[in-house]
Amino acid sequence: MNTKNLDTFITVTKYNSINAAADALFISSPALQQQINRLEADVGFKLFERSASGIRLTAAGQTFLDGIIRLRSDVESLLTRCRETASLSSCLRVGAILGLQPDLFPRVSGPFFQKYPEIVQKPVMESEDQLFIDLDRGALDVIEYFDCPRAHASGRNFEPLFWEGRDVLMSPGHPLASRKKLTLEDLSGQHIIVYRFDRLPGLREYVEQNYPDIEISEDPRVMDSYTLIRSFEDGHIGLVPPHVGSQFLPLRTVPLEMDMKWPVGFVYREPRSAVLNQFIEVSKEVFSQIIK
């Protein structure tokens, strides 16, 4: 079925006149009539009834017109969705926790752009909960995160890039703040806070089992940097990823030497897009060089 004949048919229904429709389409009336005749031959039924007063749609012709209009609307909607998908296929949306300095994406962004300059990179900073909501509904492609049960829940997958320990975060006046490094033995008698953004699997159990003199608890609050800094006035200490300590000045960070380390990488959902595959491959290349 020729789509040009369908266009002609719709135009004729607007004018209810072969001559008026022919004028609107800048063709002769006999040429337009031939297109209608061919369309009627294709569909196998009459589309118009002709009389001395003009033409009008047959019952079958009206049903056909209604269906064509719905079909065209569906096709336009489909094309819109396809164009949006095509646009997203050249865009990578990377999420990181709001209030924490991203660690992975800044290191990968430059090398990835050099290799794939046509792909737009969109960093997104949101709360931890909102990041996972957006990932699950397809508004994000990947989240910078650490390996924990949440990274594997609800069909999510985790791609590790490297393993890291933790730094001890404390006020500059704390007795341990002048040390160049610390061990868990050094923290005997201290109160350690683990923050909501950094609930490391196995850490609390490990400390409670092996270092019973250390009090360790979790703070479930979502705090901005100012509130977190003020919370150290009571003398407690915190554990944070090494790269975020500079965000909490004037607090002091000291590297913690311990046996436990945790994988850091990206959380995503299957199926992985071609763009996400490219991004993860570049990330692996970048961090393999850093680790060496």
Side-chain angles (χ1 to χ4, degrees), residues 1-278:
M1 187 180 300
N2 192 321
T3 56
K4 182 179 179 181
N5 294 340
L6 290 176
D7 293 334
T8 299
F9 166 67
I10 293 173
T11 302
V12 173
T13 63
K14 290 180 180 179
Y15 291 94
N16 289 321
S17 166
I18 294 293
N19 293 333
D23 290 341
L25 294 172
F26 301 100
I27 60 176
S28 67
S29 295
L32 187 148
Q33 185 63 62
Q34 288 180 3
Q35 292 181 27
I36 295 299
N37 292 342
R38 284 195 291 269
L39 181 59
E40 288 180 331
D42 287 339
V43 299
F45 50 82
K46 287 291 184 181
L47 297 170
F48 295 100
E49 294 176 342
R50 296 161 180 83
S51 65
S53 60
I55 62 171
R56 65 178 183 179
L57 285 168
T58 63
Q62 183 64 58
T63 301
F64 185 67
L65 175 64
D66 294 341
I68 289 298
I69 292 174
R70 286 195 302 271
L71 179 61
R72 290 206 160 185
S73 176
D74 291 342
V75 169
E76 285 300 320
S77 297
L78 175 62
L79 289 175
T80 298
R81 293 196 302 272
C82 289
R83 292 184 184 110
E84 290 173 349
T85 301
S87 174
L88 289 177
S89 67
S90 60
C91 173
L92 181 75
R93 300 155 301 176
V94 183
I97 298 176
L98 182 66
L100 294 182
Q101 179 181 342
D103 185 29
L104 309 185
F105 181 66
R107 304 195 208 185
V108 178
S109 178
F112 184 72
F113 177 76
Q114 289 179 351
K115 195 167 185 178
Y116 301 103
E118 73 280 5
I119 298 176
V120 177
Q121 303 176 64
K122 292 186 177 180
V124 178
M125 301 287 289
E126 294 178 328
S127 69
E128 182 181 356
D129 291 340
Q130 188 61 48
L131 286 174
F132 281 99
I133 290 172
D134 287 348
L135 179 69
D136 291 340
R137 68 184 181 90
L140 283 177
D141 298 298
V142 66
I143 298 174
E144 179 177 315
Y145 208 61
F146 59 91
D147 194 10
C148 66
R150 190 172 196 178
H152 299 272
S154 304
R156 302 169 190 146
N157 295 278
F158 179 77
E159 184 69 45
L161 294 176
F162 65 95
W163 293 65
E164 70 175 4
R166 284 298 179 265
D167 283 357
V168 180
L169 185 68
M170 66 193 82
S171 68
H174 194 283
L176 298 175
S178 60
R179 302 280 290 272
K180 292 186 177 180
K181 62 182 179 180
L182 292 167
T183 65
L184 285 172
E185 287 85 353
D186 297 324
L187 303 184
S188 178
Q190 300 292 325
H191 179 197
I192 298 177
I193 300 292
V194 178
Y195 297 99
R196 189 175 188 271
F197 61 79
D198 200 30
R199 297 187 298 272
L200 296 169
L203 172 63
R204 182 172 183 172
E205 294 78 6
Y206 177 81
V207 171
E208 289 177 342
Q209 181 177 352
N210 296 283
Y211 301 93
D213 291 337
I214 298 176
E215 180 185 356
I216 184 168
S217 59
E218 296 179 358
D219 191 327
R221 294 175 295 170
V222 178
M223 295 184 286
D224 56 40
S225 297
Y226 176 77
T227 305
L228 188 145
I229 291 170
R230 290 292 303 272
S231 72
F232 277 80
E233 293 177 353
D234 65 1
H236 74 262
I237 60 179
L239 296 183
V240 294
H243 71 279
V244 305
S246 61
Q247 294 180 241
F248 302 119
L249 294 175
L251 297 181
R252 174 96 160 86
T253 55
V254 180
L256 178 63
E257 293 187 347
M258 60 184 301
D259 295 333
M260 296 188 73
K261 293 185 182 297
W262 295 269
V264 179
F266 291 118
V267 182
Y268 63 93
R269 294 186 65 86
E270 294 285 4
R272 287 187 352 191
S273 66
V275 170
L276 182 54
N277 280 331
Q278 293 164 340

